[in-house]
Amino acid sequence: MAPLADLYQLTMAYGHWRSGRHRVPTVAELFFRRGPFGGGFALAAGLAEVLRGLRAFRFSNADVAYLRSVLPPTTEDAFFDYLATVDTSEVTLSAVPEGSINFPKVPFLQVKGPLLVVQLLETTLLCLVSYASLVATNATRFRLLAGPDMKLMEIGLRRAQGPDGALSASKYSYIGGFDCTSNILAGKLYGIPVGGTIAHSFIMAFTSLEEVQPRELQPLAGGEPVDLPALAELWLARDFQGLLDTYCVRRSGLPNFCAVALALHQLGYQAIGVRLDSGDLAQQSKEIRQVFRVCGAHFQVPWFETIPIAVSNDISEKSLEDFRREGSEINMVGVGTNLVTCPLQPALGCVYKLVEVNGSPCLKLTEDEEKMTIPGTKKIYRLYDADGHPFMDLMALEEEPSPSVGQELAVRVLGRLGEVTKVMPTSVEPLHRMYFRDGQVCEPLPSLVEVRNHAQVSLSQLHPAHRQLHEPQPYPVAMTEKLHHLLTKLLEASQ
């Protein structure tokens, strides 16, 4: 895992080693600056992979040999000997629990350890957190648009950026609220429910009913096997009217489906659903549902009117908005390209910045105020109102006492640092937990299902004004007066 880094991390590591500062205690934070997709929040994901990476972080003999070949020939041999001893046994990591809602400037995680190791971890941690959180957030947006009752299936394997991207997308879209995946390897590795329909090619592979073998199906209650195609043809002779199918919706697909479904019902089985893949999906779903209702009533088959209708075909956020606006009878949506590739925002833009070196707080100074960092080792608290909604995240210096419930606090909101804001929380939650210490994971990790459930709870707690996907009300992130005083002091010293 250690070589999963940019070359300049090794160049800097050599500089720290040569100057004798490689063991200086250091603190870094990983965060994002703007809410993705034009929204106000992100869903924190990737923590389990981060912890796995930390445990495995070391340079093998082969790694060291490779680094000798790419670093300048003037690099001292003793540096490579030192790299062979580097691990994370002195690293401490605290983070928000995976599946938590996170806001701009609030650290996903905080890393403490020797300067050289903390610096080497930068690219690795950004890689493991950024895409995971982006896809989980994207999935969350689809879930919010779909509502709680519509089933969402991730079908992006064939469109993802390689097998690693596909597996990550399956895993983190499940955390974000999708119900299942078509990716069977993701199902095997992560225990995600798998599902799917059939492709057009399956139908195209047959030219006549004579090619359908075997033809016989035994009734569910037992008895002599029945020729299912022949039975379906008998039902089809009753002249169904309706629509379905990409090729000939009105004349072929729906009548054939109804005939087969009724034949299956006659033998004691129940059809599991239909899929639409082109045309006006919302309108078709309503027309198909009406046919199912008429069929169910006419032939006295109660379950017929509730047959699930699934749709696919380049489904996007706009598609779901259209379904909601127009009304539909859609029960399941398959989302591929617009989920796994995140075309509306291809990167979350996470950054990893030093905030303290050798006991001294530090900050990045820049003409772009948005890119200025907040100095010092911090604790983060989430403040809740009387209705149970979080209304502010508060950054405090590590040595400061925790905010007290029911006690008025004077804080400075980011973006409005020139004015004091008074708040009084009804409850206070420390946002970070300690997950890694002395080279080992020190907090039991939840299962993927538990992370998914936590994500949905976190989302439900947000006030609707902060949860809305377009032009949300900005969620305030603030700092204590003591932290603001430190920031002001460092800014004045830099002038």
Side-chain angles (χ1 to χ4, degrees):
M1 182 60 74
L4 185 63
D6 293 308
L7 180 61
Y8 75 86
Q9 304 289 359
L10 272 299
T11 304
M12 291 190 294
Y14 183 52
H16 292 319
W17 179 82
R18 285 207 67 191
S19 66
R21 291 176 52 80
H22 55 291
R23 293 190 54 78
V24 166
T26 303
V27 182
E29 294 174 344
L30 190 153
F31 58 93
F32 63 100
R33 295 189 174 109
R34 296 183 183 179
F37 309 108
F41 66 86
L43 193 67
L47 178 61
E49 294 296 330
V50 163
L51 297 173
R52 187 176 294 113
L54 288 178
R55 290 189 62 185
F57 188 87
R58 58 186 54 86
F59 291 97
S60 68
N61 291 336
D63 296 333
V64 174
Y66 175 73
L67 292 175
R68 284 181 182 273
S69 72
V70 296
L71 289 174
T74 54
T75 306
E76 297 176 41
D77 287 342
F79 174 64
F80 296 108
D81 295 337
Y82 177 74
L83 284 182
T85 70
V86 167
D87 58 24
T88 55
S89 58
E90 297 179 71
V91 168
T92 296
L93 180 138
S94 61
V96 299
E98 192 160 15
S100 297
I101 296 296
N102 225 56
F103 299 98
K105 295 293 183 75
V106 177
F108 278 130
L109 52 86
Q110 182 186 81
V111 183
K112 299 179 181 179
L115 174 58
L116 182 144
V117 178
V118 170
Q119 190 68 73
L120 282 176
L121 288 170
E122 176 179 3
T123 304
T124 304
L125 298 183
L126 287 169
C127 177
L128 295 175
V129 169
S130 296
Y131 180 68
S133 300
L134 185 71
V135 171
T137 305
N138 200 19
T140 295
R141 293 174 64 87
F142 276 94
R143 170 49 67 198
L144 286 172
L145 287 168
D149 298 326
M150 184 179 288
K151 298 291 185 182
L152 293 175
M153 179 189 296
E154 177 269 312
I155 55 173
L157 175 58
R158 65 186 61 192
R159 302 292 171 81
Q161 288 92 340
D164 293 337
L167 286 170
S168 294
S170 298
K171 179 178 182 180
Y172 296 115
S173 62
Y174 183 66
I175 287 177
F178 272 59
D179 298 283
C180 57
T181 178
S182 65
N183 186 341
I184 58 174
L185 183 55
K188 174 187 174 184
L189 294 177
Y190 308 129
I192 302 171
V194 295
T197 57
I198 60 172
H200 298 121
S201 60
F202 185 80
I203 305 301
M204 295 167 65
F206 296 88
T207 59
S208 69
L209 285 179
E210 285 67 33
E211 295 176 345
V212 177
Q213 297 294 334
R215 297 176 61 90
E216 294 186 334
L217 178 66
Q218 186 175 25
L220 189 61
E224 290 298 317
V226 175
D227 187 321
L228 181 62
L231 182 59
E233 285 186 299
L234 290 176
W235 280 102
L236 192 60
R238 301 192 182 199
D239 190 25
F240 294 106
Q241 298 296 318
L243 63 138
L244 188 65
D245 193 86
T246 298
Y247 302 109
C248 187
V249 172
R250 305 190 70 90
R251 293 174 298 165
S252 174
L254 189 55
N256 286 330
F257 172 81
C258 290
V260 173
L262 288 167
L264 288 171
H265 173 71
Q266 186 175 334
L267 300 180
Y269 299 93
Q270 186 169 324
I272 62 173
V274 298
R275 177 173 70 103
L276 300 169
D277 193 46
S278 65
D280 187 335
L281 302 177
Q283 180 61 28
Q284 288 185 62
S285 74
K286 288 185 283 187
E287 294 176 355
I288 289 170
R289 180 66 67 208
Q290 180 59 27
V291 170
F292 286 165
R293 290 190 180 112
V294 170
C295 238
H298 182 76
F299 296 109
Q300 297 183 332
V301 183
W303 58 261
F304 219 88
E305 66 178 54
T306 60
I307 291 174
I309 299 173
V311 301
S312 56
N313 189 27
D314 205 25
I315 301 296
S316 64
E317 285 190 11
K318 184 179 182 304
S319 303
L320 295 185
E321 290 170 343
D322 291 344
F323 297 161
R324 175 181 291 180
R325 185 183 64 255
E326 299 170 15
S328 79
E329 290 289 342
I330 296 168
N331 305 107
M332 173 178 280
V333 176
V335 190
T337 304
N338 290 296
L339 173 65
V340 305
T341 66
C342 302
L344 297 180
Q345 181 170 327
L348 180 54
C350 287
V351 293
Y352 182 89
K353 300 297 180 184
L354 301 185
V355 295
E356 185 174 297
V357 177
N358 206 18
S360 298
C362 56
L363 79 161
K364 176 184 177 181
L365 288 173
T366 171
E367 293 179 355
D368 186 346
E369 184 177 337
E370 183 186 51
K371 291 191 174 183
M372 186 176 68
T373 58
I374 301 172
T377 304
K378 295 178 281 295
K379 289 185 177 179
I380 317 295
Y381 301 95
R382 182 154 290 172
L383 311 183
Y384 291 81
D385 62 22
D387 294 324
H389 299 303
F391 69 87
M392 177 179 287
D393 283 4
L394 180 64
M395 300 183 185
L397 289 171
E398 189 174 43
E399 64 269 18
E400 291 188 73
S402 170
S404 298
V405 170
Q407 178 181 339
E408 187 176 75
L409 301 171
V411 302
R412 304 284 183 131
V413 177
L414 301 189
R416 306 198 307 268
L417 293 179
E419 60 186 73
V420 176
T421 300
K422 300 290 184 67
V423 297
M424 185 181 296
T426 301
S427 63
V428 176
E429 175 191 13
L431 205 54
H432 281 194
R433 297 181 189 174
M434 185 70 66
Y435 282 99
F436 193 84
R437 183 191 293 116
D438 301 328
Q440 297 297 323
V441 177
C442 58
E443 169 92 4
L445 295 182
S447 67
L448 199 64
V449 171
E450 290 170 330
V451 172
R452 183 178 185 272
N453 291 339
H454 172 61
Q456 297 310 304
V457 170
S458 298
L459 195 64
S460 68
Q461 290 176 333
L462 277 186
H463 190 282
H466 297 138
R467 191 169 58 226
Q468 66 187 44
L469 302 184
H470 303 293
E471 299 182 354
Q473 180 179 317
Y475 181 89
V477 176
M479 63 178 68
T480 61
E481 283 284 78
K482 189 170 183 179
L483 179 53
H484 179 254
H485 176 72
L486 172 63
L487 174 62
T488 302
K489 182 180 178 181
L490 291 176
L491 287 173
E492 289 173 349
S494 68
Q495 294 175 353

